[in-house]
Amino acid sequence: MGTSSTRGANGGDSRSTATPDVDAVVVGAGFAGLYMLHLLRGMGLSVRVFERGGGVGGTWYWNRYPGARCDTDSVEYSYQFSDELQQEWRWTERFATQPEILRYLEHVTDRFDLRRDISFRTTVTEAAFDEAEGCWRIATDDGARLSATYCVMATGCLSAVNRPAFDGLERFEGAWYHTGAWPHEGVSLAGKRVGIVGTGSSAIQSIPLIAAEARHLTVFQRQANYTVPARNAPLDEAEYADIRAAYGEHRRRAKETPAGCWWAVNPETAEEMSLPARERELEERWRKGGLSMYGVFNDLLVSPAANDVATDFIRKQIRALVRDPEVAALLSPGSFLGCKRICLDTDYYATFNRPNVTLVDISDAPIEEITRGGLRTGGREYEFDAIVFAIGFDAMTGPLLRVDIRGREGRPLGAKWADGPSTYLGIAIEGFPNLFTVTGPTSPSVLTNMVPAIEQHVEWIADCIAHARRSDRPCIEATREAEEDWMAHHEEVAAGTVFPACNSWYVGANVAGKPRRVMPYTGGFPDYVKKCDAVAASDYEGFSLSAG
Ligand code: N01
């Protein structure tokens, strides 16, 4: 701790004295961690950020697979806390590539002088609440120990890769890659026989590019996904000037939409519309591209009948785009639209018309094993020089549970969440005082534009910490009753949507053995923000303050 002989962030043991080494530890230096550092430092707190990667960026540091880009429009997938920043930065395309987003985050880091408080290539392995001292004791993989009054987990929702757990992987004589941990030096797949496992967003972005490069690409699909054309294009100067002139207004209006995005939500339900009007709405959103398909009908995510109208339309598009009717049928999902993340693509369906691309349906025949020369499924062996695992993430809970987090009485978070995550507002956890999760489970997070969702959380957490520090009992903790009430509300809202019906990562179905529970809050961004604001305005109702 501060007054005793500690090495703090640079290593060494801390002894238990009255003052923790730092006021706050922030875990992660992506969009969330960078802004958290900026705000807490601005409040006069001493802060240490630990980041597993060799640079800032989080998601955008690791996901360097071919075709990686954001599927939220770049002009809104950016911070709004600084108008100067949003006015000076110039996005080049409608949907920014991974390198461009990473450049943006590096720019933000330098512009706000954030780097000096970040320890890179440092993984937090343990965070334990010390009840006697009322502080968090943080341990990192380089042996360092640090104590902090507050601990903010800015670890992201999709940062713990779903590790390939296929028998025989170690025998494979070719090269294998995970889209979420792509080699920084790049990969040449030219002239190679490549297999790709998975057909989620990462695969759907990379498949057209890999197919153009590889000798042959075989795609192993467990469930088909809906994808809508991205219609990516450069952003021209006139268009950009208009956006800049009304940036604040765009941002304000977005906060009134369920997903916190700029695209309009149709105020009508499918039932309220005539058949031609529905068709026009669908055609228009397909033509414009992007995720606005989520807003095609007001009731898309709560009415199976409305959802059927949209899925019939998309299946019709697939039949028009894919020449082989059998392949088109395999690529046509049978699930609700939106209960798995809608994907955006550039030429995904057309890629299956290429002579060097084969689609293999593994819905009834899981991958049996990886062999020396490839992989075996359905009793047949496929030979490859390289395999790409586009198998996603242990979403939302994974990034938290991969750290050994212990609350009061040494209770592990993993034990508390054995049947699924339970939080208050997705921000705080009963039994874990002074611990905050940015866009944690049961917050809207992944069902919204992530950047405004992150900013809202970071600002709320900063205010909450300021509130606790004003008190002579600076230890703030969600009460059991508040957490139970929030979880009951969360589950009631989710039960009225299409989300529980699909095997998606939203419910943890993609990771073997993971408890099944709808993880993101499905009640929409505006209602959620209202609730958070009401809690803050009522002196942090549902939280208790104590000395430790
Ligand atoms: O991961 P996913 P992702 N055997 O989980 C399959 C965000 N994102 O990396 O559907 C065989 O969606 C799995 O099959 P199934 C975005 O929020 C954003 O693509 O579970 N297959 C699925 O097809 C996105 O939703 C952007 O049956 C296995 C695929 O692997 C999220 O990240 C870009 C398997 C995994 O799809 C995750 O996307 C990329 C197994 N054992 C990602 N295990 C943009 O902003 C899994 N699969 C553009």
Side-chain angles (χ1 to χ4, degrees), residues 244-267:
R244 276 195 178 117
Y247 230 130
E249 181 54 18
H250 288 303
R251 301 285 202 180
R252 193 195 56 71
R253 273 193 288 110
K255 286 183 181 157
E256 292 168 359
T257 72
C261 289
W262 293 17
W263 41 261
V265 179
N266 181 354

Side-chain angles (χ1 to χ4, degrees), residues 59-60 63 65 67-72 77 101 158 162 164-166 178-180 197-205 220-225 291 340-344 362 366-367 389-393 395 446 503-506 509-511:
T59 287
W60 302 104
N63 285 266
Y65 59 83
R69 58 171 81 235
C70 187
D71 55 12
T72 297
Y77 191 80
I101 301 171
L158 295 158
N162 184 16
F166 301 102
H178 192 296
T179 44
V197 181
T199 49
S201 292
S202 305
I204 283 174
Q205 287 187 329
F220 294 93
Q221 174 185 274
R222 189 163 70 177
Q223 293 180 80
N225 259 303
L291 288 177
K340 296 180 77 174
R341 172 66 136 63
I342 299 177
C343 304
L344 294 191
I362 56 167
I367 292 170
F389 294 105
I391 58 173
F393 302 89
V446 290
N503 290 325
S504 69
W505 60 258
Y506 293 143
N510 62 326
V511 174

